[in-house]
Amino acid sequence: MKKTKFIKHCIRAFLPSLWFNFRNLPLQQAIKMPILIYKPHNLNLVGGVKIEANEVTPGMIRLGFPKSVLFQNNGISIHNMGMIVFKGRCEIGNDSYVTCLNQGKIIFGNGFIATAGLKIVSACGITFGDDVLIGWNNTIIDTNFHPLYNIEKECFDKAYGEINIGDNNWLSAQCFVMHNVNTPPNVIFGARTIVTRAKFESNCVYGGSPIRKLKANVKRIVGEDTIDNYE
């Protein structure tokens, strides 16, 4: 049943995917149809799109496909005036919005997965390491847009900074990641965490606002971390 639905979604995605690939990629990559995009809307593709992977294969990047019934099946919105780079396989689910401004750059590491409701805004730079998992309804933004004026220093405080998310990080539902955040590998952020600049340690769980360490010496093993029986 799932395979049949996916085939139907791929048929619907064929024409916009064909246009997207040949619009953004060099011919030798575009003919392989590596990017499948489902129900694209509000597209602005002034900027560039690159695939920097050892191997380019059909459908390795899937954007907007339904991954959660809790969110609208309305595909993906992409407003790209900067640069978006894919380092390998990538999945971004339904009801997601990606905005990359003029000086922005978004790098998706290999194995990036976002379930649904993802919102990314880059004005200077956002980098995801390999095998990053993003839960429902996360927001990741590298600028405040509106700096505050420092009365004592008589100047505006800096209100932007690059974000670097380490390998194997997991952001669970409804996290909000602010500018200047840098995380090491193997960090977990609990639901509704406001992630601000702090010193993080690998194999730890962080959560709350203000953010704090909740648990140490833990990790998520993908594929072995689902609950099959609730009795």
Side-chain angles (χ1 to χ4, degrees):
M1 187 68 177
K2 289 184 178 180
K3 186 175 181 180
T4 301
K5 283 186 177 181
F6 179 70
I7 292 173
K8 289 181 179 179
H9 292 151
C10 286
I11 292 172
R12 176 163 186 168
F14 177 75
L15 288 179
S17 299
L18 185 70
W19 174 82
F20 191 90
N21 280 275
F22 282 90
R23 165 67 175 76
N24 293 284
L25 302 177
L27 181 61
Q28 63 269 29
Q29 290 185 343
I31 58 177
K32 296 180 181 180
M33 292 285 285
I35 301 175
L36 298 180
I37 186 165
Y38 180 77
K39 288 188 178 181
H41 56 94
N42 297 330
L43 289 181
N44 183 335
L45 301 175
V46 176
V49 176
K50 291 183 179 180
I51 298 177
E52 297 178 352
N54 293 330
E55 184 180 10
V56 177
T57 58
M60 62 186 285
I61 299 162
R62 301 177 184 179
L63 308 175
F65 282 78
K67 291 182 70 68
S68 174
V69 297
L70 298 179
F71 292 82
Q72 294 183 31
N73 182 15
N74 61 358
I76 188 169
S77 168
I78 300 178
H79 182 89
N80 179 26
M81 301 179 70
M83 177 60 67
I84 298 175
V85 180
F86 297 97
K87 294 288 190 177
R89 303 188 69 85
C90 175
E91 294 182 30
I92 299 177
N94 50 302
D95 199 19
S96 293
Y97 302 81
V98 177
T99 297
C100 190
L101 303 178
N102 290 338
Q103 296 175 278
K105 186 172 185 179
I106 304 173
I107 300 176
F108 295 101
N110 184 36
F112 179 92
I113 297 177
T115 309
L118 176 66
K119 299 174 182 65
I120 298 179
V121 179
S122 175
C124 56
I126 299 174
T127 300
F128 299 96
D130 293 340
D131 300 311
V132 171
L133 298 175
I134 309 288
W136 302 332
N137 207 23
N138 275 253
T139 299
I140 302 164
I141 181 169
D142 62 16
T143 176
N144 282 352
F145 285 109
H146 308 288
L148 297 178
Y149 188 77
N150 189 311
I151 297 174
E152 291 184 358
K153 296 181 179 180
E154 297 184 340
C155 64
F156 285 96
D157 292 331
K158 186 178 179 182
Y160 62 90
E162 294 186 4
I163 295 172
N164 292 280
I165 304 299
D167 296 344
N168 299 300
N169 276 210
W170 175 27
L171 297 166
S172 53
Q174 297 183 335
C175 293
F176 199 109
V177 182
M178 305 291 290
H179 61 283
N180 291 320
V181 165
N182 291 277
T183 69
N186 304 308
V187 180
I188 298 171
F189 295 96
R192 294 192 173 184
T193 299
I194 299 178
V195 185
T196 55
R197 181 169 53 184
K199 185 176 180 180
F200 300 106
E201 299 175 13
S202 296
N203 301 313
C204 291
V205 179
Y206 292 87
S209 179
I211 193 169
R212 63 189 186 279
K213 186 192 297 185
L214 302 177
K215 190 175 292 188
N217 299 316
V218 292
K219 66 177 182 179
R220 181 179 185 181
I221 302 177
V222 178
E224 300 180 22
D225 58 346
T226 56
I227 302 173
D228 298 318
N229 189 346
Y230 285 89
E231 293 182 359

